[in-house]
Amino acid sequence: KTEKLIWNYKNLMILVLSIILALFILKSQFLKGILLSLGNLEYIGVFISGIFFTYGFTTAPSVSMIYVLSRNLNPFLVGLIGALGAVISDYLIFRFVKYNLSKEIKLLSDKFKFHPHLKKPYVKILKKLAPLIAGFIIASPLPDELAASILGAIKVNDFEFFLISLSSNFIGILIIALISLFSS
């Protein structure tokens, strides 16, 4: 029975294990060392920092690296290159949530008879606001996993997701770069 439980919810298990692994990596200072070494790579460092910008556990060190790197680089290129890196991570999260995790969550909600009943007008309003809310979350230092979950839940297509993620990450990273430039 345990084997069936693990197999039915393998993506939820992977998610939990990845959170535990991320906590161990952060405690060991491993990631911090990698991010500090990116300072010599300029735009490549910005791209890699952009990849880490999206994950809740790596946002703070990534913001720090983007801030430091932006002092000597074009802030608009920092925004674009960092956003391209961030889109890669966001897309991986989005695909995982939309095509794997959402099925398991539905399976769990069916099993425990949890079905929130919202009236149709509220659902329509929420679906219209969801991309805006997700875009704000992506642009901010909040974990993009939340935004990807929202967009996966309302079933936006891959192209729409790409546009929301790219534009929101660009704005968020550009703001960090401009703050760095003007505070130097």
Side-chain angles (χ1 to χ4, degrees):
K1 187 160 176 143
T2 304
E3 205 173 282
K4 185 178 180 186
L5 177 75
I6 290 172
W7 182 252
N8 284 341
Y9 303 105
K10 64 184 176 289
N11 292 304
L12 283 171
M13 297 292 187
I14 290 170
L15 179 65
V16 169
L17 290 174
S18 69
I19 290 170
I20 292 168
L21 178 63
L23 288 171
F24 280 119
I25 290 171
L26 286 175
K27 294 274 185 194
S28 71
Q29 300 295 319
F30 174 73
L31 185 63
K32 190 174 182 180
I34 289 174
L35 287 174
L36 290 173
S37 69
L38 295 177
N40 302 327
L41 301 176
E42 293 187 337
Y43 288 112
I44 294 171
V46 168
F47 180 78
I48 295 169
S49 294
I51 291 171
F52 289 108
F53 183 70
T54 63
Y55 299 109
F57 291 111
T58 59
T59 301
S62 175
V63 168
S64 298
M65 283 311 305
I66 292 168
Y67 181 85
V68 169
L69 288 168
S70 297
R71 290 181 180 165
N72 302 321
L73 302 173
N74 179 321
F76 291 97
L77 281 176
V78 167
L80 179 62
I81 292 169
L84 289 172
V87 165
I88 291 170
S89 293
D90 277 346
Y91 188 67
L92 291 173
I93 297 166
F94 173 72
R95 296 283 300 188
F96 178 72
V97 169
K98 182 176 178 183
Y99 297 108
N100 296 322
L101 200 57
S102 62
K103 292 175 189 171
E104 290 179 14
I105 291 170
K106 182 172 179 357
L107 188 64
L108 270 176
S109 72
D110 289 345
K111 183 176 183 172
F112 293 106
K113 309 286 188 260
F114 175 74
H115 297 285
H117 298 288
L118 293 174
K119 295 183 180 172
K120 288 193 181 213
Y122 294 116
V123 172
K124 287 181 181 179
I125 291 170
L126 286 174
K127 280 190 173 190
K128 288 184 192 269
L129 288 177
L132 182 63
I133 294 166
F136 173 76
I137 292 168
I138 291 170
S140 76
L142 294 170
D144 287 8
E145 292 94 330
L146 179 60
S149 298
I150 291 169
L151 295 172
I154 65 163
K155 307 284 189 214
V156 299
N157 67 43
D158 292 358
F159 183 71
E160 290 170 324
F161 178 81
F162 175 78
L163 290 177
I164 292 167
S165 177
L166 183 65
S167 60
S168 299
N169 279 306
F170 174 76
I171 291 167
I173 294 171
L174 177 63
I175 289 170
I176 295 165
L178 290 172
I179 290 170
S180 174
L181 184 67
F182 291 116
S183 67
S184 300

